[in-house]
Amino acid sequence: CLITRHEAVRGLIKIFIDTTNRDTISLAERIGPHSSVVLEDYDPLFDPVPEGVDAVLYPVDAIPPMIERETSIAVMVPRSTSGWVSVPVHPGELPPGSKVSVCGEVMGRYIGSLYPDLDVVSVHVSADDCLDDDADAWIVPEADLILLSPERKHSVLDPDTFLPVPGQGCLCFLCRKDDAEARRKLSGLNHMPTRIEVEAELGILKLTGHGRSSPLAAGAVLEDMFVHIRCTSFICDERRDADEYLQCDYVMDELLGISEYLTGKRDRVI
């Protein structure tokens, strides 16, 4: 349980963090100098925010499309990076037959389609497990490598070729829906541009009807008064890509058109 005071936090706040996730520990250390973590196993799909605390700090890309009904995402902090890296070299520099371990199903599909001569030997949920694998190269989110092994030689992958999974590189605070005081305390940490971008990505994921393990990539960027969202899907038999501009006050029906195209329910985005 982290009890801290910070200039962006309005008053004293108690936060639970998952000690198995280094991203959340790192952010907790930046928010306040004193922390004592006690939460080691938390699943937002089933578990409510524990009584006696204001919020749970959690990585957005690990949150399922549906969460416990009394819980909501109250705050999203600025996203550091949503990119991918390959350790130690770019996959295009590997000789045919090289063994590659990847983080996430969509990255496995990317590598399989772009570099068919490489052998994707395993697909992991966490970067920790991926980097511990026996392989010639490892492909993980850049934010995870920065926290886990920043000294390791790596190559940053082209963000226009390898899109992130929805919410990649972003952390959030989960609060009880009826806890207005916790929201008030945390409101100074909320980064609205990140929230607009990430909510568009999460909306696409939710409307596809598929879970976190689905081979779907989605990256959104605010450009002037528009949300530029690009997606790659391997959900249906063929690869499908979408590249759309939405107004910042978009409605969910606009995301629905994109998601139905990505899942093969439509022949084009409407």
Side-chain angles (χ1 to χ4, degrees), residues 76-109:
M76 289 189 190
V77 299
R79 177 154 53 181
S80 56
T81 173
S82 61
W84 295 93
V85 294
S86 179
V87 180
V89 297
H90 192 280
E93 299 177 23
L94 295 169
S98 295
K99 297 179 179 180
V100 181
S101 179
V102 302
C103 189
E105 180 67 28
V106 71
M107 181 52 69
R109 297 294 187 91

mmCIF file of all heavy atoms in Angstrom, residues 76-109:
data_model
loop_
_atom_site.group_PDB
_atom_site.id
_atom_site.type_symbol
_atom_site.label_atom_id
_atom_site.label_comp_id
_atom_site.label_asym_id
_atom_site.label_seq_id
_atom_site.Cartn_x
_atom_site.Cartn_y
_atom_site.Cartn_z
ATOM 1 N N MET A 76 -5.341 8.343 -16.438
ATOM 2 C CA MET A 76 -4.267 7.789 -17.256
ATOM 3 C C MET A 76 -3.091 8.757 -17.203
ATOM 4 O O MET A 76 -3.264 9.953 -17.429
ATOM 5 C CB MET A 76 -4.713 7.571 -18.694
ATOM 6 C CG MET A 76 -5.697 6.437 -18.871
ATOM 7 S SD MET A 76 -5.995 6.061 -20.614
ATOM 8 C CE MET A 76 -7.385 4.928 -20.465
ATOM 9 N N VAL A 77 -1.923 8.235 -16.888
ATOM 10 C CA VAL A 77 -0.736 9.080 -16.801
ATOM 11 C C VAL A 77 -0.086 9.165 -18.183
ATOM 12 O O VAL A 77 -0.367 8.346 -19.058
ATOM 13 C CB VAL A 77 0.262 8.527 -15.765
ATOM 14 C CG1 VAL A 77 -0.376 8.504 -14.386
ATOM 15 C CG2 VAL A 77 0.729 7.132 -16.142
ATOM 16 N N PRO A 78 0.772 10.158 -18.426
ATOM 17 C CA PRO A 78 1.383 10.308 -19.755
ATOM 18 C C PRO A 78 2.094 9.038 -20.211
ATOM 19 O O PRO A 78 2.831 8.422 -19.445
ATOM 20 C CB PRO A 78 2.371 11.456 -19.559
ATOM 21 C CG PRO A 78 1.819 12.236 -18.429
ATOM 22 C CD PRO A 78 1.184 11.226 -17.505
ATOM 23 N N ARG A 79 1.858 8.678 -21.437
ATOM 24 C CA ARG A 79 2.488 7.481 -21.995
ATOM 25 C C ARG A 79 3.926 7.811 -22.396
ATOM 26 O O ARG A 79 4.182 8.791 -23.085
ATOM 27 C CB ARG A 79 1.687 7.000 -23.205
ATOM 28 C CG ARG A 79 2.302 5.814 -23.907
ATOM 29 C CD ARG A 79 1.302 4.961 -24.660
ATOM 30 N NE ARG A 79 0.456 5.674 -25.587
ATOM 31 C CZ ARG A 79 -0.505 5.074 -26.317
ATOM 32 N NH1 ARG A 79 -0.699 3.780 -26.195
ATOM 33 N NH2 ARG A 79 -1.247 5.770 -27.148
ATOM 34 N N SER A 80 4.850 6.981 -21.944
ATOM 35 C CA SER A 80 6.263 7.222 -22.245
ATOM 36 C C SER A 80 6.592 6.859 -23.686
ATOM 37 O O SER A 80 7.104 7.668 -24.459
ATOM 38 C CB SER A 80 7.147 6.440 -21.278
ATOM 39 O OG SER A 80 6.829 5.047 -21.326
ATOM 40 N N THR A 81 6.286 5.642 -24.067
ATOM 41 C CA THR A 81 6.528 5.174 -25.430
ATOM 42 C C THR A 81 5.597 4.012 -25.716
ATOM 43 O O THR A 81 5.284 3.223 -24.822
ATOM 44 C CB THR A 81 7.982 4.722 -25.636
ATOM 45 O OG1 THR A 81 8.114 4.121 -26.932
ATOM 46 C CG2 THR A 81 8.408 3.714 -24.585
ATOM 47 N N SER A 82 5.150 3.902 -26.955
ATOM 48 C CA SER A 82 4.296 2.782 -27.345
ATOM 49 C C SER A 82 4.987 1.902 -28.377
ATOM 50 O O SER A 82 4.347 1.092 -29.034
ATOM 51 C CB SER A 82 2.968 3.296 -27.910
ATOM 52 O OG SER A 82 3.191 4.085 -29.073
ATOM 53 N N GLY A 83 6.311 2.078 -28.502
ATOM 54 C CA GLY A 83 7.037 1.365 -29.540
ATOM 55 C C GLY A 83 7.508 -0.017 -29.139
ATOM 56 O O GLY A 83 7.357 -0.465 -28.004
ATOM 57 N N TRP A 84 8.119 -0.698 -30.123
ATOM 58 C CA TRP A 84 8.680 -2.033 -29.944
ATOM 59 C C TRP A 84 10.188 -1.994 -30.185
ATOM 60 O O TRP A 84 10.674 -1.174 -30.958
ATOM 61 C CB TRP A 84 8.069 -3.010 -30.951
ATOM 62 C CG TRP A 84 6.611 -3.263 -30.807
ATOM 63 C CD1 TRP A 84 5.598 -2.607 -31.449
ATOM 64 C CD2 TRP A 84 5.980 -4.258 -29.992
ATOM 65 N NE1 TRP A 84 4.383 -3.119 -31.089
ATOM 66 C CE2 TRP A 84 4.585 -4.135 -30.195
ATOM 67 C CE3 TRP A 84 6.461 -5.238 -29.120
ATOM 68 C CZ2 TRP A 84 3.666 -4.962 -29.555
ATOM 69 C CZ3 TRP A 84 5.540 -6.053 -28.469
ATOM 70 C CH2 TRP A 84 4.160 -5.916 -28.694
ATOM 71 N N VAL A 85 10.893 -2.910 -29.548
ATOM 72 C CA VAL A 85 12.326 -3.056 -29.791
ATOM 73 C C VAL A 85 12.652 -4.537 -30.000
ATOM 74 O O VAL A 85 11.954 -5.424 -29.513
ATOM 75 C CB VAL A 85 13.180 -2.509 -28.623
ATOM 76 C CG1 VAL A 85 13.006 -1.010 -28.495
ATOM 77 C CG2 VAL A 85 12.832 -3.209 -27.314
ATOM 78 N N SER A 86 13.721 -4.752 -30.747
ATOM 79 C CA SER A 86 14.227 -6.106 -30.969
ATOM 80 C C SER A 86 15.619 -6.205 -30.361
ATOM 81 O O SER A 86 16.483 -5.373 -30.625
ATOM 82 C CB SER A 86 14.283 -6.425 -32.468
ATOM 83 O OG SER A 86 14.793 -7.724 -32.694
ATOM 84 N N VAL A 87 15.803 -7.202 -29.511
ATOM 85 C CA VAL A 87 17.089 -7.433 -28.841
ATOM 86 C C VAL A 87 17.748 -8.657 -29.467
ATOM 87 O O VAL A 87 17.110 -9.710 -29.560
ATOM 88 C CB VAL A 87 16.863 -7.674 -27.329
ATOM 89 C CG1 VAL A 87 18.172 -7.922 -26.616
ATOM 90 C CG2 VAL A 87 16.119 -6.488 -26.702
ATOM 91 N N PRO A 88 18.994 -8.621 -29.889
ATOM 92 C CA PRO A 88 19.895 -7.466 -29.894
ATOM 93 C C PRO A 88 19.876 -6.672 -31.198
ATOM 94 O O PRO A 88 20.389 -5.573 -31.251
ATOM 95 C CB PRO A 88 21.255 -8.122 -29.704
ATOM 96 C CG PRO A 88 21.131 -9.429 -30.427
ATOM 97 C CD PRO A 88 19.708 -9.886 -30.213
ATOM 98 N N VAL A 89 19.306 -7.252 -32.278
ATOM 99 C CA VAL A 89 19.335 -6.588 -33.577
ATOM 100 C C VAL A 89 17.948 -6.622 -34.209
ATOM 101 O O VAL A 89 17.044 -7.341 -33.765
ATOM 102 C CB VAL A 89 20.359 -7.260 -34.537
ATOM 103 C CG1 VAL A 89 21.764 -7.131 -33.991
ATOM 104 C CG2 VAL A 89 19.993 -8.723 -34.787
ATOM 105 N N HIS A 90 17.787 -5.858 -35.268
ATOM 106 C CA HIS A 90 16.533 -5.824 -36.017
ATOM 107 C C HIS A 90 16.276 -7.196 -36.640
ATOM 108 O O HIS A 90 17.211 -7.867 -37.095
ATOM 109 C CB HIS A 90 16.633 -4.758 -37.109
ATOM 110 C CG HIS A 90 15.328 -4.436 -37.751
ATOM 111 N ND1 HIS A 90 14.758 -5.227 -38.734
ATOM 112 C CD2 HIS A 90 14.464 -3.402 -37.551
ATOM 113 C CE1 HIS A 90 13.617 -4.703 -39.114
ATOM 114 N NE2 HIS A 90 13.411 -3.583 -38.416
ATOM 115 N N PRO A 91 15.013 -7.650 -36.678
ATOM 116 C CA PRO A 91 14.732 -8.966 -37.277
ATOM 117 C C PRO A 91 15.182 -9.077 -38.728
ATOM 118 O O PRO A 91 15.504 -10.174 -39.201
ATOM 119 C CB PRO A 91 13.213 -9.107 -37.131
ATOM 120 C CG PRO A 91 12.705 -7.732 -36.857
ATOM 121 C CD PRO A 91 13.801 -7.028 -36.133
ATOM 122 N N GLY A 92 15.237 -7.950 -39.434
ATOM 123 C CA GLY A 92 15.703 -7.972 -40.819
ATOM 124 C C GLY A 92 17.175 -8.282 -40.949
ATOM 125 O O GLY A 92 17.644 -8.629 -42.047
ATOM 126 N N GLU A 93 17.936 -8.198 -39.867
ATOM 127 C CA GLU A 93 19.360 -8.498 -39.886
ATOM 128 C C GLU A 93 19.670 -9.936 -39.470
ATOM 129 O O GLU A 93 20.824 -10.360 -39.521
ATOM 130 C CB GLU A 93 20.104 -7.538 -38.950
ATOM 131 C CG GLU A 93 19.966 -6.075 -39.331
ATOM 132 C CD GLU A 93 20.648 -5.157 -38.340
ATOM 133 O OE1 GLU A 93 21.573 -5.620 -37.635
ATOM 134 O OE2 GLU A 93 20.258 -3.980 -38.248
ATOM 135 N N LEU A 94 18.664 -10.681 -39.071
ATOM 136 C CA LEU A 94 18.877 -12.059 -38.622
ATOM 137 C C LEU A 94 18.956 -13.001 -39.817
ATOM 138 O O LEU A 94 18.235 -12.848 -40.800
ATOM 139 C CB LEU A 94 17.731 -12.495 -37.706
ATOM 140 C CG LEU A 94 17.606 -11.760 -36.369
ATOM 141 C CD1 LEU A 94 16.284 -12.122 -35.702
ATOM 142 C CD2 LEU A 94 18.777 -12.121 -35.449
ATOM 143 N N PRO A 95 19.807 -14.019 -39.742
ATOM 144 C CA PRO A 95 19.877 -15.003 -40.827
ATOM 145 C C PRO A 95 18.652 -15.909 -40.829
ATOM 146 O O PRO A 95 17.995 -16.070 -39.791
ATOM 147 C CB PRO A 95 21.150 -15.791 -40.495
ATOM 148 C CG PRO A 95 21.333 -15.638 -39.023
ATOM 149 C CD PRO A 95 20.818 -14.269 -38.696
ATOM 150 N N PRO A 96 18.309 -16.487 -41.971
ATOM 151 C CA PRO A 96 17.154 -17.389 -42.045
ATOM 152 C C PRO A 96 17.275 -18.514 -41.015
ATOM 153 O O PRO A 96 18.361 -19.023 -40.750
ATOM 154 C CB PRO A 96 17.217 -17.937 -43.481
ATOM 155 C CG PRO A 96 17.949 -16.871 -44.244
ATOM 156 C CD PRO A 96 18.958 -16.309 -43.285
ATOM 157 N N GLY A 97 16.144 -18.875 -40.444
ATOM 158 C CA GLY A 97 16.119 -19.948 -39.453
ATOM 159 C C GLY A 97 16.374 -19.494 -38.038
ATOM 160 O O GLY A 97 16.302 -20.311 -37.106
ATOM 161 N N SER A 98 16.675 -18.221 -37.844
ATOM 162 C CA SER A 98 16.925 -17.711 -36.492
ATOM 163 C C SER A 98 15.665 -17.852 -35.635
ATOM 164 O O SER A 98 14.540 -17.683 -36.113
ATOM 165 C CB SER A 98 17.351 -16.247 -36.532
ATOM 166 O OG SER A 98 18.588 -16.099 -37.193
ATOM 167 N N LYS A 99 15.883 -18.141 -34.364
ATOM 168 C CA LYS A 99 14.780 -18.301 -33.430
ATOM 169 C C LYS A 99 14.442 -16.949 -32.787
ATOM 170 O O LYS A 99 15.327 -16.270 -32.281
ATOM 171 C CB LYS A 99 15.139 -19.313 -32.351
ATOM 172 C CG LYS A 99 15.396 -20.721 -32.883
ATOM 173 C CD LYS A 99 15.760 -21.665 -31.757
ATOM 174 C CE LYS A 99 16.006 -23.073 -32.276
ATOM 175 N NZ LYS A 99 16.365 -24.019 -31.186
ATOM 176 N N VAL A 100 13.160 -16.612 -32.829
ATOM 177 C CA VAL A 100 12.715 -15.326 -32.295
ATOM 178 C C VAL A 100 11.632 -15.570 -31.254
ATOM 179 O O VAL A 100 10.677 -16.319 -31.489
ATOM 180 C CB VAL A 100 12.173 -14.415 -33.415
ATOM 181 C CG1 VAL A 100 11.726 -13.076 -32.839
ATOM 182 C CG2 VAL A 100 13.221 -14.214 -34.504
ATOM 183 N N SER A 101 11.783 -14.944 -30.098
ATOM 184 C CA SER A 101 10.761 -14.973 -29.056
ATOM 185 C C SER A 101 10.095 -13.607 -29.017
ATOM 186 O O SER A 101 10.778 -12.579 -29.042
ATOM 187 C CB SER A 101 11.399 -15.293 -27.695
ATOM 188 O OG SER A 101 10.421 -15.292 -26.669
ATOM 189 N N VAL A 102 8.772 -13.569 -28.964
ATOM 190 C CA VAL A 102 8.052 -12.297 -29.042
ATOM 191 C C VAL A 102 7.109 -12.139 -27.862
ATOM 192 O O VAL A 102 6.707 -13.110 -27.210
ATOM 193 C CB VAL A 102 7.259 -12.172 -30.366
ATOM 194 C CG1 VAL A 102 8.183 -12.296 -31.565
ATOM 195 C CG2 VAL A 102 6.143 -13.205 -30.424
ATOM 196 N N CYS A 103 6.756 -10.900 -27.623
ATOM 197 C CA CYS A 103 5.803 -10.565 -26.569
ATOM 198 C C CYS A 103 4.492 -10.169 -27.242
ATOM 199 O O CYS A 103 4.425 -9.118 -27.886
ATOM 200 C CB CYS A 103 6.365 -9.425 -25.719
ATOM 201 S SG CYS A 103 5.423 -9.065 -24.237
ATOM 202 N N GLY A 104 3.488 -11.007 -27.130
ATOM 203 C CA GLY A 104 2.190 -10.690 -27.705
ATOM 204 C C GLY A 104 1.902 -11.413 -29.008
ATOM 205 O O GLY A 104 2.768 -11.551 -29.870
ATOM 206 N N GLU A 105 0.665 -11.857 -29.155
ATOM 207 C CA GLU A 105 0.244 -12.606 -30.328
ATOM 208 C C GLU A 105 0.366 -11.788 -31.610
ATOM 209 O O GLU A 105 0.774 -12.300 -32.654
ATOM 210 C CB GLU A 105 -1.202 -13.071 -30.146
ATOM 211 C CG GLU A 105 -1.768 -13.867 -31.313
ATOM 212 C CD GLU A 105 -1.093 -15.217 -31.499
ATOM 213 O OE1 GLU A 105 -0.594 -15.777 -30.511
ATOM 214 O OE2 GLU A 105 -1.066 -15.699 -32.650
ATOM 215 N N VAL A 106 0.044 -10.501 -31.543
ATOM 216 C CA VAL A 106 0.084 -9.697 -32.759
ATOM 217 C C VAL A 106 1.516 -9.547 -33.272
ATOM 218 O O VAL A 106 1.748 -9.532 -34.496
ATOM 219 C CB VAL A 106 -0.568 -8.312 -32.539
ATOM 220 C CG1 VAL A 106 0.283 -7.417 -31.651
ATOM 221 C CG2 VAL A 106 -0.848 -7.627 -33.871
ATOM 222 N N MET A 107 2.492 -9.473 -32.371
ATOM 223 C CA MET A 107 3.883 -9.384 -32.824
ATOM 224 C C MET A 107 4.318 -10.689 -33.482
ATOM 225 O O MET A 107 5.077 -10.676 -34.460
ATOM 226 C CB MET A 107 4.805 -9.036 -31.654
ATOM 227 C CG MET A 107 6.275 -8.894 -32.053
ATOM 228 S SD MET A 107 6.574 -7.770 -33.447
ATOM 229 C CE MET A 107 6.164 -6.185 -32.720
ATOM 230 N N GLY A 108 3.844 -11.804 -32.967
ATOM 231 C CA GLY A 108 4.137 -13.075 -33.620
ATOM 232 C C GLY A 108 3.618 -13.107 -35.044
ATOM 233 O O GLY A 108 4.290 -13.599 -35.960
ATOM 234 N N ARG A 109 2.425 -12.549 -35.263
ATOM 235 C CA ARG A 109 1.853 -12.493 -36.613
ATOM 236 C C ARG A 109 2.619 -11.514 -37.498
ATOM 237 O O ARG A 109 2.821 -11.764 -38.688
ATOM 238 C CB ARG A 109 0.392 -12.093 -36.530
ATOM 239 C CG ARG A 109 -0.482 -13.087 -35.773
ATOM 240 C CD ARG A 109 -0.603 -14.422 -36.486
ATOM 241 N NE ARG A 109 -1.555 -15.289 -35.841
ATOM 242 C CZ ARG A 109 -2.845 -15.348 -36.154
ATOM 243 N NH1 ARG A 109 -3.319 -14.591 -37.134
ATOM 244 N NH2 ARG A 109 -3.658 -16.152 -35.509
#
